[in-house]
Amino acid sequence: MHNIAIDGPAGAGKSTIAKKVAKELGFIYVDTGAMYRSMALYFIRNGIKSDEEDRITAVCDNIQVSIDYVNGEQQVMLNGENVNAFIRTEEVSRMTSDTSKYPVVREKLLSLQRELASKKNVIMDGRDIGTCVLPDAEVKIYLTASSAERARRRYAEQVERGIECDIEQIEKDIIARDEQDMNREIAPLKQAEDAVYLDSSDMNIEQVVKAIIDIYKSKVKDI
């Protein structure tokens, strides 16, 4: 199986790029956020509150989450059930936020993500994919852009949605988030030693996608 790991700071466009690369290569894009949401849905359905860490720990072995594609559509499977229609509610969002901090939840998903990557060609993005989740991935990319460019992109997205915002404040928030991600105790954001550094500040989406595919093809040829 071939695995591609994309890490980088907030606003670097990791998910957008990863989805497009996955489509081009016929890989499965592993939506780690959807996997966390599926676990949260399980807790809700079983009447477990977000502060009941002991109960959460007790049921984690009963949870199986996987991702597949049917007719080009991602399906998030929770114990064999497609839960796409149930994991985007506000209730699930709150539970996800409250329970993703628990080490047992992170460890469970780490195990499931590695299991998925051992069986299928996957591309995964995040903060610690190349360093922690898939340390043996053949291709690792550290995708970044200047804080000013990431703020500009975020500002454009918000304006398009009709949301008023301040680009200077957005950049301040991005810089603060970088600091937090790089200095957190568990799985901090950092470039893996064997990752290719890719600055997309002056690149469009298509150029970044092509660059990653070219890197993948050159790496796989050498393996």
Side-chain angles (χ1 to χ4, degrees), residues 142-160:
Y142 188 83
L143 181 64
T144 189
S146 67
S147 59
E149 174 59 19
R150 286 184 279 144
R152 186 197 65 75
R153 294 172 184 172
R154 180 64 175 163
Y155 177 79
E157 288 175 359
Q158 297 289 70
V159 169
E160 189 175 339

Side-chain angles (χ1 to χ4, degrees), residues 127-138:
R127 304 288 193 279
D128 62 345
I129 307 302
T131 53
C132 298
V133 181
L134 299 178
D136 296 325
E138 295 99 330

